[in-house]
Amino acid sequence: SDPALPFLNESVRVPTPRFQPATFPEFIGSVYTLWNVLDSMIHSHSGVGWPLYPYGYMRKVQLFAYSELVWRNPSARTYCETGVNGGHGTAAMLTASPTLVAHSFDEARQP
């Protein structure tokens, strides 16, 4: 295996993750990839009223500020979010820590 590539554990069983980011840059790359998936899902289910951009709902500066707190603090256990929108923030925080529990509150009024 190439030591420059992130580690993928192909011998674990579900629900253990095959890939867990080992570095902050790997984490950020994982989040960006998840955001691409969420953006695509939003776009494929969009109707009149959904913006064409930005899909993110969480700005880059927010991602770095919030996630760094969780990433660098293994004792963080709970994340609360009001207004989930596309789920980008929740996806980022859950990727930052496999033991984090998310509590989300949203009126689900998006079209």
Side-chain angles (χ1 to χ4, degrees), residues 6 19 21-33 64 71-72:
F19 171 71
T23 65
F24 195 70
E26 282 182 11
F27 158 72
I28 293 296
S30 297
V31 170
Y32 290 169
T33 301
F64 278 79
W71 179 261
R72 304 214 189 279

Side-chain angles (χ1 to χ4, degrees), residues 8-31:
L8 181 68
N9 187 343
E10 296 183 280
S11 64
V12 298
R13 293 181 176 219
V14 174
T16 303
R18 291 187 292 158
F19 171 71
Q20 187 65 41
T23 65
F24 195 70
E26 282 182 11
F27 158 72
I28 293 296
S30 297
V31 170

Side-chain angles (χ1 to χ4, degrees), residues 51-64:
L52 295 178
Y53 59 88
Y55 293 120
Y57 306 113
M58 181 183 224
R59 304 294 178 249
K60 187 176 175 182
V61 67
Q62 291 172 300
L63 169 64
F64 278 79

Side-chain angles (χ1 to χ4, degrees), residues 6-93:
F7 177 71
L8 181 68
N9 187 343
E10 296 183 280
S11 64
V12 298
R13 293 181 176 219
V14 174
T16 303
R18 291 187 292 158
F19 171 71
Q20 187 65 41
T23 65
F24 195 70
E26 282 182 11
F27 158 72
I28 293 296
S30 297
V31 170
Y32 290 169
T33 301
L34 279 172
W35 284 4
N36 284 342
V37 172
L38 289 170
D39 293 348
S40 178
M41 290 170 56
I42 289 169
H43 181 72
S44 70
H45 291 91
S46 66
V48 176
W50 276 96
L52 295 178
Y53 59 88
Y55 293 120
Y57 306 113
M58 181 183 224
R59 304 294 178 249
K60 187 176 175 182
V61 67
Q62 291 172 300
L63 169 64
F64 278 79
Y66 301 163
S67 62
E68 197 161 3
L69 290 172
V70 174
W71 179 261
R72 304 214 189 279
N73 184 1
S75 65
R77 296 287 178 248
T78 306
Y79 173 73
C80 294
E81 183 171 10
T82 302
V84 176
N85 287 318
H88 295 72
T90 302
M93 295 305 103

